[in-house]
Amino acid sequence: MSNTEQVRVREDATLRNRNAAKPHSEHPAVTTSRAAAPARTAASTDSVPTHAAEHPLMVQSNTPTRRTVIAKRSATAPVDTDEITELARATGREIVAERTQVGPEDPGTHFGAGKVTELARTVADRNAECVVVDGDLTPRQHHAIASSMPDETAVIDRYRLVLERFEDGAGTRRAQLQVELATLRYELPRVIEAADEGLLNRQTETGSPVYDIRDRIDRLERELSACQDPAAEFRKRRREAGFDLVTIAGYTNAGKSTLLHRLADDLSYSPPERSRPTDRSPETPATDRSDDDPTATIADRLFETLETTTRRATIGGRPILATDTVGFVDDLPHELVESFSATLSEAAAADVVVLVVDASDPPARFRERLTVSLDVLDAQGVDDDRIVTALNKVDLLGVRERAHRCSVARSILPVSASDPVPISVRTGRHLKPLRTAILDRLPAERAVFQLPNCDDAMSLVSRAYDRTSVDAVDYDGDTVTLVCRGRPSVIEQLRATAEEL
Ligand SMILES: Nc1nc2c(ncn2[C@@H]2O[C@H](COP(=O)(O)OP(=O)(O)OP(=O)(O)O)[C@@H](O)[C@H]2O)c(=O)[nH]1
Ligand SMILES: [Mg+2]
């Protein structure tokens, strides 16, 4: 072993703790949503292969493979593999070994030929099916590593792994299309790199792979540009169904999905195998439905068509829809920002965003992640006064540490955000104050406005749609009647504008 190179192999037993089985299906709707409405099925109305695994030349399958070796190179020691391990586990992988290296990047193979050979040996010894490289591999590097591994070994870099997470979290049609597009753009140069020239030029029975991918990319781009803004769609359906919307956001592993389970009603919707009748009456009140009730409701269709990670919940007697979102990751590759935003677009339409932060992180990381999370929500257009911050996993902290995290959070949070709520989703402690904080932020005041039928009134109505729950808009000759519910501060602003009309 050279001075510039440090190798660390963790034995299966050491890694077992970190593997501590976080099954893929922990994301409440991942498995079922795939069964119910896979993105590609919906998108592929033609015969063009749309899934990486469907094409013979695709360099890897989208299906998570279990036994995985983590490989990471860094210019300086120590080489931290915590985050990549977290991400790999979150996509259903079991980490059976780690290989790390300190040294400069090799342009051809990323690690250098000797290290790649060692990696291949580790894969064979551990009977692994997948190598996750914590770095962004060029197509050439990817090909060099993949072709040195035992047959059928999937080689996945950080970028591809993040895409997989987004795929799991893509709850809307637009998000699904965005993620598929990003995946195909990523795959295309790798398919070209992996193929020999003759094969690329040949038109095979399944078509030309490169042409097929390009064609699919074109179609996706067209479809995306015609796709409706999901936030608008979401608001519309919310109005139809009469629910308040709560979105749960935050870094990966913060405890979002566990919180969703906790908040969800026992009668929560689980996108099941059972089929739903389609000839339902839209007049049936949404809240009348029980899970065994085959009656049609608007809410059912809301779930069916829009959200794959949404549950019903009741807070302070009010029916709400709580939506899980894909976790933030550090150093998000620039090209993936759009895909990520698409998976988070529900947040923009929510009445309340519960920002879950892992309070058991070391102080510097806690501070950094809270700051980044707030920036992300800000970039999504989430108003500060819609944010409720939950400091999760306080069961892992002592009293003083807990108080410290709360005061750090108070110093970072915008003044109009609610006070941070320390919680433990695991033990169920302090969930009541969290529910209360959410309730406080839900639209509360009901207002009726009689407006003259003019352009300024229309812009007020449109602002009301953006900022409140609109119950009704009636046009009667020269008068427009607007009935809406919103936070008192928002209603007050609308009232002041209405008085000037
Ligand atoms: N100690 C402790 N662990 C918790 C708590 N809440 C969640 N966890 C654990 O943290 C891990 C991550 O929880 P998830 O709910 O899957 O986290 P997530 O935010 O949905 O993660 P992603 O879906 O990857 O973005 C799981 O192992 C949970 O059991 C808590 O209050 N205390
Ligand atoms: Mg989750």
Side-chain angles (χ1 to χ4, degrees):
M1 198 182 311
S2 72
N3 284 344
T4 55
E5 189 176 88
Q6 171 207 338
V7 178
R8 180 160 50 110
V9 178
R10 296 199 188 183
E11 297 304 318
D12 290 23
T14 323
L15 289 159
R16 213 162 286 140
N17 283 341
R18 286 165 73 179
N19 285 330
K22 179 181 177 185
H24 199 41
S25 58
E26 212 171 82
H27 199 293
V30 165
T31 39
T32 41
S33 71
R34 291 198 171 293
R40 293 182 184 75
T41 309
S44 26
T45 48
D46 46 53
S47 61
V48 177
T50 59
H51 193 294
E54 285 170 26
H55 210 289
L57 267 182
M58 287 289 189
V59 281
Q60 73 234 344
S61 156
N62 263 350
T63 312
T65 38
R66 290 285 296 161
R67 294 179 64 82
T68 296
V69 177
I70 297 278
K72 180 168 183 174
R73 183 200 60 78
S74 170
T76 53
V79 187
D80 183 358
T81 53
D82 284 354
E83 204 221 353
I84 194 75
T85 300
E86 223 172 63
L87 265 176
R89 279 182 41 222
T91 50
R93 296 185 162 83
E94 178 195 6
I95 314 305
V96 296
E98 273 183 16
R99 288 251 152 184
T100 62
Q101 176 190 39
V102 177
E105 179 175 9
D106 179 87
T109 61
H110 189 77
F111 294 109
K115 176 61 58 190
V116 171
T117 307
E118 274 183 52
L119 193 55
R121 207 173 306 131
T122 306
V123 169
D125 288 351
R126 307 270 168 222
N127 205 16
E129 302 153 286
C130 176
V131 174
V132 167
V133 178
D134 191 5
D136 295 331
L137 299 176
T138 63
R140 183 171 154 220
Q141 290 170 337
H142 187 280
H143 180 58
I145 298 175
S147 53
S148 304
M149 295 299 125
D151 286 351
E152 310 292 323
T153 309
V155 175
I156 300 207
D157 69 2
R158 190 170 186 281
Y159 192 104
R160 189 65 181 78
L161 198 62
V162 170
L163 267 175
E164 252 180 46
R165 289 298 292 140
F166 288 178
E167 214 175 288
D168 288 347
T172 63
R173 172 103 181 104
R174 186 158 159 272
Q176 289 162 352
L177 294 175
Q178 288 273 12
V179 175
E180 188 184 353
L181 183 60
T183 306
L184 289 175
R185 283 183 179 150
Y186 169 91
E187 300 284 7
L188 182 61
R190 284 158 181 80
V191 170
I192 293 172
E193 184 70 36
D196 66 71
E197 208 179 316
L199 188 57
L200 281 179
N201 292 334
R202 224 169 21 244
Q203 188 76 14
T204 65
E205 263 179 30
T206 52
S208 158
V210 174
Y211 175 82
D212 287 346
I213 296 174
R214 285 199 178 120
D215 185 49
R216 180 78 193 136
I217 287 174
D218 283 349
R219 286 167 195 231
L220 281 172
E221 283 171 344
R222 279 201 301 275
E223 201 173 335
L224 258 171
S225 62
C227 203
Q228 204 188 2
D229 171 17
E233 177 75 355
F234 207 58
R235 277 194 288 267
K236 179 168 160 270
R237 287 171 184 269
R238 169 185 64 177
R239 285 197 297 278
E240 288 171 356
F243 284 97
D244 295 312
L245 299 182
V246 172
T247 291
I248 303 173
Y251 263 83
T252 190
N253 206 44
K256 300 179 296 299
S257 304
T258 322
L259 176 61
L260 182 71
H261 275 296
R262 283 276 186 189
L263 290 179
D265 291 338
D266 289 341
L267 290 180
S268 64
Y269 176 87
S270 46
E273 299 68 39
R274 72 193 162 91
S275 61
R276 291 169 181 278
T278 49
D279 55 338
R280 302 166 177 166
S281 154
E283 277 76 43
T284 310
T287 45
D288 279 352
R289 175 188 169 270
S290 87
D291 256 18
D292 297 326
D293 180 0
T295 319
T297 69
I298 293 165
D300 288 344
R301 288 203 297 274
L302 172 75
F303 285 119
E304 276 170 6
T305 57
L306 201 61
E307 281 310 303
T308 51
T309 50
T310 294
R311 295 289 184 274
R312 290 160 186 262
T314 309
I315 295 187
R318 292 172 66 161
I320 65 160
L321 300 181
T323 298
D324 198 3
T325 60
V326 68
F328 311 165
V329 292
D330 283 324
D331 304 322
L332 183 64
H334 182 68
E335 299 85 340
L336 292 187
V337 169
E338 210 178 346
S339 310
F340 173 69
S341 297
T343 62
L344 200 63
S345 56
E346 293 87 347
D351 296 301
V352 170
V353 176
V354 179
L355 173 60
V356 186
V357 189
D358 185 344
S360 71
D361 274 342
R365 183 191 258 210
F366 169 76
R367 180 185 285 274
E368 164 79 12
R369 289 193 161 185
L370 176 56
T371 308
V372 172
S373 302
L374 290 168
D375 288 348
V376 169
L377 293 182
D378 187 49
Q380 291 293 321
V382 176
D383 309 316
D384 294 342
D385 63 356
R386 283 194 279 151
I387 300 173
V388 171
T389 307
L391 308 183
N392 190 28
K393 307 196 187 180
V394 293
D395 54 293
L396 300 174
L397 298 176
V399 177
R400 285 175 62 174
E401 285 174 309
R402 200 178 295 186
H404 172 259
R405 298 298 194 282
C406 283
S407 78
V408 168
R410 275 190 205 103
S411 71
I412 295 175
L413 286 168
V415 275
S416 53
S418 88
D419 209 31
V421 189
I423 59 166
S424 168
V425 182
R426 176 169 286 175
T427 65
R429 283 194 68 189
H430 307 301
L431 286 182
K432 204 167 166 203
L434 180 66
R435 287 172 186 271
T436 306
I438 295 172
L439 193 58
D440 282 350
R441 301 273 149 169
L442 290 178
E445 196 174 318
R446 186 167 183 276
V448 180
F449 297 103
Q450 303 278 0
L451 309 166
N453 195 348
C454 63
D455 286 352
D456 286 346
M458 288 312 103
S459 75
L460 189 141
V461 168
S462 130
R463 187 139 28 108
Y465 271 122
D466 285 344
R467 306 288 309 274
T468 71
S469 288
V470 175
D471 292 335
V473 182
D474 292 321
Y475 297 88
D476 184 11
D478 293 340
T479 310
V480 182
T481 306
L482 164 69
V483 183
C484 62
R485 287 172 303 120
R487 280 186 295 283
S489 60
V490 176
I491 297 293
E492 195 46 50
Q493 285 167 12
L494 292 177
R495 193 165 284 135
T497 314
E499 278 165 9
E500 286 169 16
L501 293 179

